[in-house]
Amino acid sequence: MAGAGISTSSGIPDFRTPGTGLYDNLKKYKIPYPTAIFDIDYFHINPKPFFCLAKELYPGNFKPNYVHFFLKLLENKGVLLRNWTQNIDGLERMAGVSGSKLVEAHGTFATASCVRCSRMQDPTRVKRLIIEDKIPRCDCLKRGVCKPDIVFFGEDLPPRFYSLKRRDFMNCDLLLVMGTSLEVEPFSGLVNDVRFSTPRVLFNRDVVEPFTKRMRRPTDVVCPGDITESVKKLIELAGWTKDMELLLGETTTVDEKSLFKKPAWIYKEKT
Ligand code: OAD
């Protein structure tokens, strides 16, 4: 399970870190409350603040970092059941994680639709108009505003979230929770959907609920601090340092086939 904290070293601010987080830096948009920028009711009244922000957030402006490539490494190793992400930056995809291995729970910039008639729109046209500071409109009778299909507060999550949720979390045998405050439902609730015996590992700067001393399970592991450092340590412990270097294109000394060799303990994916 991933959140905005995995992309901060790519230069994208997270949402809630005091001072640097997006919600502390929205004064220029003159919105009534920080989350209004992603609120569908507010968007119906005034879509401009979101479009201004979208210009900056559109994929293409940022590059995947070590943590995104770690997710790709897990896929190459055959141990990634799924990458459940709240991020809309598309950096996991850019690092090479396959679409079938991803659940983009808070949507994506890759598609767009009309907020009135729900008709799908050409995402390239929508992006072009947003970049040109124009409001993209649908040609339906209501001339609805079109927006990228990222999930706003007040909107439902993609069907894929609901169709894979039970299967994935019941079948998960190790849950990595990375770079998220776990404050936004229903995504945050997924952390409790794994079996009680399934170890859960938190890689996050702060210890967030339900990983606090009072709430954590006996099998939980908490790694506070910078996520890249924690992931590097995990890769070292797994003996994957060279595989990772190869993936990052830093060295060619490792046998390429070993990157795709499944370890003996691999979980057999049922889906
Ligand atoms: P948050 O900003 O709420 O949480 C990010 C977490 O990552 C915080 O706990 C940070 O301390 C941690 N963090 C940041 N950089 C880190 C680093 N380099 N190493 C380790 N930890 C780091 O972001 P999300 O949990 O992703 O929803 O927010 C969830 C949702 O809230 C978003 O998807 C968005 C937002 O409103 C919608 O827009 C619908």
Side-chain angles (χ1 to χ4, degrees):
M1 291 170 64
I6 74 163
S7 296
T8 51
S9 70
S10 292
I12 306 173
D14 65 10
F15 295 89
R16 295 179 180 79
T17 293
T20 57
L22 181 75
Y23 291 148
D24 263 2
N25 290 283
L26 295 170
K27 276 194 196 91
K28 61 179 168 183
Y29 298 111
K30 298 191 173 75
I31 47 179
Y33 50 97
T35 50
I37 198 127
F38 293 120
D39 188 314
I40 196 65
D41 293 327
Y42 185 75
F43 182 83
H44 284 304
I45 302 164
N46 180 13
K48 278 192 181 152
F50 168 72
F51 286 142
C52 286
L53 179 67
K55 264 173 87 162
E56 291 171 39
L57 294 183
Y58 255 109
N61 295 337
F62 302 96
K63 289 202 171 74
N65 64 49
Y66 195 88
V67 182
H68 302 105
F69 285 107
F70 163 65
L71 294 166
K72 177 60 185 164
L73 183 69
L74 292 179
E75 180 181 349
N76 289 350
K77 290 283 183 187
V79 295
L80 181 68
L81 173 59
R82 208 85 62 187
N83 172 190
W84 285 71
T85 186
Q86 296 164 98
N87 298 345
I88 52 171
D89 51 37
L91 294 185
E92 288 119 326
R93 243 177 228 274
M94 219 184 276
V97 177
S98 312
S100 62
K101 289 288 175 190
L102 267 172
V103 174
E104 292 164 316
H106 292 168
T108 168
F109 277 100
T111 57
S113 46
C114 168
V115 294
R116 291 280 173 209
C117 72
S118 304
R119 202 184 298 165
M120 282 188 75
Q121 307 289 319
D122 172 7
T124 320
R125 174 183 159 266
V126 171
K127 179 178 177 179
R128 180 175 49 78
L129 291 170
I130 291 175
I131 304 282
E132 289 170 3
D133 290 321
K134 293 178 184 147
I135 305 247
R137 289 199 180 270
C138 181
D139 53 13
C140 64
L141 282 177
K142 293 178 180 164
R143 300 278 300 139
V145 177
C146 309
K147 76 164 181 60
D149 289 333
I150 64 169
V151 178
F152 277 34
F153 292 106
E155 286 189 308
D156 210 356
L157 272 57
R160 190 168 162 76
F161 178 91
Y162 298 101
S163 61
L164 290 177
K165 173 172 127 75
R166 193 178 149 73
R167 193 164 49 176
D168 277 6
F169 284 84
M170 285 308 288
N171 285 325
C172 170
D173 55 13
L174 174 68
L175 179 66
L176 303 180
V177 181
M178 311 196 302
T180 173
S181 61
L182 289 176
E183 286 209 11
V184 177
E185 287 282 3
F187 190 92
S188 59
L190 296 173
V191 80
N192 295 319
D193 287 352
V194 290
R195 282 168 282 128
F196 198 75
S197 57
T198 299
R200 306 180 302 182
V201 183
L202 176 73
F203 289 140
N204 205 50
R205 190 170 286 140
D206 334 293
V207 181
V208 294
E209 284 188 5
F211 290 92
T212 50
K213 275 202 180 118
R214 197 173 54 86
M215 296 186 69
R216 72 176 73 143
R217 295 175 178 178
T219 47
D220 285 346
V221 178
V222 175
C223 305
D226 181 70
I227 190 163
T228 308
E229 294 311 312
S230 302
V231 168
K232 275 189 181 158
K233 207 175 241 172
L234 177 66
I235 285 182
E236 211 179 292
L237 289 169
W240 292 345
T241 307
K242 287 206 167 146
D243 298 335
M244 188 62 180
E245 283 170 357
L246 179 70
L247 188 62
L248 293 168
E250 286 170 9
T251 175
T252 49
T253 53
V254 80
D255 173 13
E256 208 167 318
K257 279 185 196 144
S258 73
L259 189 63
F260 301 99
K261 212 171 84 191
K262 292 181 177 185
W265 45 272
I266 184 178
Y267 163 79
K268 285 198 179 60
E269 199 184 337
K270 290 178 188 138
T271 57

